[in-house]
Coordinates of all heavy atoms in Angstrom, one line a residue:
T1 N 0.8 -1.2 0.0 CA 0.0 0.0 0.0 C 0.9 1.3 0.0 O 0.4 2.3 -0.5 CB -0.9 0.0 1.2 OG1 -0.1 0.0 2.4 CG2 -1.8 -1.2 1.3
E2 N 2.1 1.2 0.5 CA 3.0 2.3 0.6 C 3.9 2.4 -0.6 O 4.6 3.4 -0.8 CB 3.8 2.2 1.9 CG 3.0 2.3 3.2 CD 3.9 2.2 4.4 OE1 5.0 2.7 4.3 OE2 3.4 1.8 5.4
L3 N 4.0 1.3 -1.3 CA 5.0 1.2 -2.5 C 4.2 0.8 -3.7 O 4.3 -0.3 -4.3 CB 6.1 0.2 -2.2 CG 6.9 0.4 -0.9 CD1 7.8 -0.8 -0.6 CD2 7.7 1.7 -1.0
P4 N 3.4 1.7 -4.2 CA 2.5 1.4 -5.4 C 3.2 1.1 -6.7 O 2.7 0.6 -7.6 CB 1.6 2.6 -5.5 CG 2.4 3.8 -4.9 CD 3.2 3.1 -3.8
E5 N 4.5 1.5 -6.8 CA 5.3 1.3 -8.0 C 6.1 0.1 -7.9 O 7.0 -0.2 -8.8 CB 6.2 2.5 -8.2 CG 5.5 3.8 -8.4 CD 4.6 3.8 -9.6 OE1 5.0 3.3 -10.7 OE2 3.5 4.3 -9.5
T6 N 5.8 -0.8 -6.9 CA 6.6 -2.0 -6.7 C 5.8 -3.2 -6.8 O 4.7 -3.3 -6.2 CB 7.3 -1.9 -5.3 OG1 8.2 -0.8 -5.3 CG2 8.2 -3.2 -5.1
K7 N 6.3 -4.2 -7.5 CA 5.6 -5.5 -7.6 C 6.3 -6.5 -6.6 O 7.5 -6.6 -6.6 CB 5.6 -6.1 -9.0 CG 4.9 -7.4 -9.2 CD 4.9 -7.8 -10.7 CE 4.1 -9.1 -10.9 NZ 4.0 -9.5 -12.3
F8 N 5.4 -7.3 -5.9 CA 5.9 -8.3 -5.0 C 5.6 -9.7 -5.5 O 4.4 -10.0 -5.7 CB 5.3 -8.1 -3.6 CG 5.6 -6.7 -3.0 CD1 4.7 -5.7 -3.3 CD2 6.7 -6.5 -2.3 CE1 4.9 -4.4 -2.8 CE2 6.9 -5.2 -1.7 CZ 6.0 -4.2 -2.0
L9 N 6.6 -10.5 -5.8 CA 6.4 -11.9 -6.2 C 6.8 -12.8 -5.1 O 7.9 -12.9 -4.7 CB 7.3 -12.2 -7.4 CG 6.8 -11.6 -8.8 CD1 7.8 -12.0 -9.9 CD2 5.4 -12.2 -9.2
L10 N 5.8 -13.6 -4.6 CA 6.0 -14.5 -3.5 C 6.2 -15.9 -4.1 O 5.4 -16.4 -4.8 CB 4.8 -14.5 -2.6 CG 4.5 -13.2 -1.8 CD1 3.2 -13.2 -1.2 CD2 5.6 -13.0 -0.8
F11 N 7.4 -16.5 -3.7 CA 7.7 -17.9 -4.2 C 7.5 -18.9 -3.1 O 8.0 -18.7 -2.0 CB 9.2 -17.9 -4.7 CG 9.4 -17.1 -5.9 CD1 9.5 -15.7 -5.9 CD2 9.6 -17.8 -7.1 CE1 9.7 -15.0 -7.0 CE2 9.9 -17.1 -8.3 CZ 9.9 -15.7 -8.2
G12 N 6.7 -19.9 -3.4 CA 6.4 -20.9 -2.3 C 5.2 -21.8 -2.6 O 4.8 -21.9 -3.8
D13 N 4.8 -22.4 -1.6 CA 3.6 -23.3 -1.7 C 2.4 -22.5 -2.1 O 1.9 -21.7 -1.3 CB 3.4 -24.0 -0.4 CG 2.3 -25.1 -0.4 OD1 1.1 -24.7 -0.4 OD2 2.6 -26.3 -0.5
K14 N 1.9 -22.8 -3.3 CA 0.8 -22.0 -3.8 C -0.5 -22.1 -2.9 O -1.1 -21.0 -2.7 CB 0.4 -22.5 -5.2 CG -0.7 -21.7 -5.9 CD -0.9 -22.2 -7.3 CE -2.0 -21.4 -8.1 NZ -2.2 -21.9 -9.4
E15 N -0.8 -23.2 -2.4 CA -2.0 -23.3 -1.6 C -1.9 -22.6 -0.3 O -2.8 -21.8 0.1 CB -2.3 -24.8 -1.3 CG -3.6 -25.0 -0.5 CD -3.9 -26.5 -0.3 OE1 -3.2 -27.4 -0.9 OE2 -4.9 -26.8 0.4
Q16 N -0.7 -22.7 0.4 CA -0.5 -21.9 1.6 C -0.6 -20.4 1.4 O -1.3 -19.7 2.1 CB 0.8 -22.3 2.2 CG 0.9 -23.6 2.9 CD 2.2 -23.8 3.6 OE1 2.5 -23.0 4.6 NE2 3.0 -24.8 3.3
L17 N 0.0 -20.0 0.3 CA 0.1 -18.5 0.1 C -1.3 -18.0 -0.3 O -1.7 -16.9 0.2 CB 1.1 -18.2 -1.0 CG 2.6 -18.5 -0.6 CD1 3.5 -18.4 -1.8 CD2 3.0 -17.5 0.5
R18 N -2.0 -18.7 -1.2 CA -3.3 -18.2 -1.6 C -4.3 -18.2 -0.4 O -5.2 -17.4 -0.4 CB -3.9 -19.1 -2.7 CG -3.2 -18.9 -4.1 CD -3.4 -17.5 -4.5 NE -2.7 -17.2 -5.8 CZ -3.3 -17.3 -7.0 NH1 -4.6 -17.7 -7.1 NH2 -2.6 -17.0 -8.1
N19 N -4.1 -19.1 0.6 CA -5.0 -19.1 1.7 C -4.7 -17.9 2.6 O -5.6 -17.5 3.4 CB -4.8 -20.4 2.5 CG -5.5 -21.6 1.9 OD1 -6.4 -21.4 1.0 ND2 -5.0 -22.8 2.2
L20 N -3.5 -17.4 2.6 CA -3.2 -16.2 3.4 C -3.4 -14.9 2.7 O -3.5 -13.9 3.4 CB -1.7 -16.3 3.8 CG -1.3 -17.5 4.7 CD1 0.3 -17.6 4.7 CD2 -1.8 -17.2 6.1
I21 N -3.5 -14.9 1.4 CA -3.7 -13.6 0.7 C -5.2 -13.5 0.3 O -5.7 -14.3 -0.4 CB -2.8 -13.6 -0.6 CG1 -1.3 -13.8 -0.2 CG2 -3.0 -12.3 -1.3 CD1 -0.5 -14.0 -1.4
P22 N -5.8 -12.4 0.8 CA -7.2 -12.1 0.3 C -7.3 -12.1 -1.2 O -6.4 -11.6 -1.9 CB -7.5 -10.8 1.0 CG -6.6 -10.6 2.1 CD -5.3 -11.3 1.7
A23 N -8.4 -12.6 -1.7 CA -8.5 -12.8 -3.2 C -8.4 -11.4 -3.9 O -7.9 -11.3 -5.0 CB -9.9 -13.4 -3.5
N24 N -8.9 -10.3 -3.2 CA -8.9 -9.0 -3.9 C -7.5 -8.4 -3.8 O -7.3 -7.3 -4.4 CB -9.9 -8.1 -3.2 CG -9.6 -7.8 -1.7 OD1 -8.7 -8.4 -1.1 ND2 -10.3 -6.9 -1.2
Q25 N -6.5 -9.1 -3.2 CA -5.2 -8.5 -3.1 C -4.3 -9.0 -4.3 O -3.2 -8.5 -4.5 CB -4.5 -8.8 -1.8 CG -5.2 -8.1 -0.6 CD -4.9 -6.6 -0.6 OE1 -3.9 -6.2 -1.1 NE2 -5.8 -5.9 -0.1
I26 N -4.6 -10.2 -4.9 CA -3.9 -10.7 -6.0 C -4.1 -9.8 -7.2 O -5.2 -9.5 -7.6 CB -4.3 -12.1 -6.4 CG1 -4.1 -13.1 -5.2 CG2 -3.6 -12.6 -7.6 CD1 -2.6 -13.3 -4.9
S27 N -3.0 -9.2 -7.7 CA -3.1 -8.2 -8.8 C -1.8 -8.1 -9.5 O -0.9 -8.9 -9.3 CB -3.5 -6.8 -8.1 OG -2.4 -6.4 -7.3
D28 N -1.7 -7.1 -10.3 CA -0.5 -6.8 -11.0 C 0.7 -6.5 -10.1 O 1.8 -6.6 -10.4 CB -0.6 -5.7 -12.1 CG -1.5 -6.1 -13.2 OD1 -1.7 -7.3 -13.4 OD2 -2.0 -5.2 -13.9
Q29 N 0.3 -6.0 -8.9 CA 1.3 -5.6 -7.9 C 1.7 -6.8 -6.9 O 2.7 -6.7 -6.3 CB 0.8 -4.5 -7.1 CG 1.9 -3.7 -6.3 CD 1.3 -2.7 -5.3 OE1 0.2 -2.4 -5.3 NE2 2.2 -2.1 -4.6
L30 N 0.9 -7.8 -6.9 CA 1.2 -9.0 -6.0 C 0.9 -10.3 -6.7 O -0.2 -10.5 -7.1 CB 0.4 -8.8 -4.7 CG 0.5 -10.0 -3.7 CD1 1.9 -10.2 -3.3 CD2 -0.4 -9.7 -2.5
G31 N 1.9 -11.1 -6.8 CA 1.7 -12.4 -7.5 C 2.3 -13.5 -6.7 O 3.2 -13.3 -5.8
V32 N 2.0 -14.8 -7.1 CA 2.5 -16.0 -6.4 C 3.1 -16.8 -7.5 O 2.5 -17.1 -8.6 CB 1.4 -16.7 -5.7 CG1 1.9 -18.1 -5.2 CG2 0.9 -15.9 -4.5
V33 N 4.3 -17.3 -7.3 CA 5.0 -18.3 -8.1 C 5.1 -19.6 -7.4 O 5.8 -19.7 -6.3 CB 6.4 -17.8 -8.6 CG1 7.0 -18.8 -9.5 CG2 6.3 -16.4 -9.3
A34 N 4.4 -20.6 -7.9 CA 4.4 -21.9 -7.2 C 5.7 -22.6 -7.2 O 6.3 -22.8 -8.3 CB 3.3 -22.8 -7.8
T35 N 6.2 -23.1 -6.1 CA 7.3 -24.0 -6.0 C 7.0 -25.2 -5.1 O 6.1 -25.1 -4.3 CB 8.5 -23.2 -5.4 OG1 8.2 -22.8 -4.1 CG2 8.9 -22.0 -6.3
T36 N 7.8 -26.2 -5.2 CA 7.5 -27.4 -4.5 C 8.5 -27.9 -3.4 O 8.3 -28.8 -2.7 CB 7.4 -28.6 -5.5 OG1 8.6 -28.8 -6.2 CG2 6.3 -28.3 -6.5
E37 N 9.6 -27.1 -3.3 CA 10.6 -27.5 -2.4 C 11.0 -26.3 -1.5 O 10.8 -25.1 -1.9 CB 11.9 -28.0 -3.1 CG 11.7 -29.3 -3.9 CD 12.9 -29.7 -4.7 OE1 13.3 -28.9 -5.6 OE2 13.5 -30.7 -4.3
V38 N 11.6 -26.6 -0.3 CA 12.1 -25.6 0.6 C 13.5 -26.0 1.0 O 13.8 -27.1 1.4 CB 11.2 -25.5 1.8 CG1 11.8 -24.5 2.8 CG2 9.8 -25.1 1.4
I39 N 14.4 -25.0 1.0 CA 15.8 -25.2 1.6 C 15.7 -25.0 3.1 O 15.4 -23.9 3.6 CB 16.8 -24.3 0.9 CG1 16.9 -24.6 -0.6 CG2 18.1 -24.4 1.6 CD1 17.9 -23.7 -1.3
A40 N 16.0 -26.1 3.8 CA 16.0 -26.0 5.3 C 17.2 -25.4 5.9 O 18.3 -25.4 5.2 CB 15.8 -27.4 5.9

């Protein structure tokens, strides 16, 4: 909301991330890239 000229791409488990992000927040400014592994 403070950085309207910036896009945020979240990389991770698609289902977990979509459950945390309100549907109306997914936009050109906020996206999810699905991945299947995590480095511990």
Side-chain angles (χ1 to χ4, degrees):
T1 62
E2 299 181 26
L3 304 171
E5 298 301 317
T6 302
K7 182 175 183 177
F8 302 88
L9 282 179
L10 294 167
F11 290 74
D13 184 283
K14 184 176 181 180
E15 184 176 351
Q16 286 190 59
L17 292 173
R18 286 298 180 95
N19 287 338
L20 292 168
I21 303 171
N24 63 350
Q25 293 291 330
I26 298 292
S27 64
D28 290 341
Q29 197 188 355
L30 175 58
V32 172
V33 179
T35 60
T36 60
E37 297 177 294
V38 176
I39 293 178

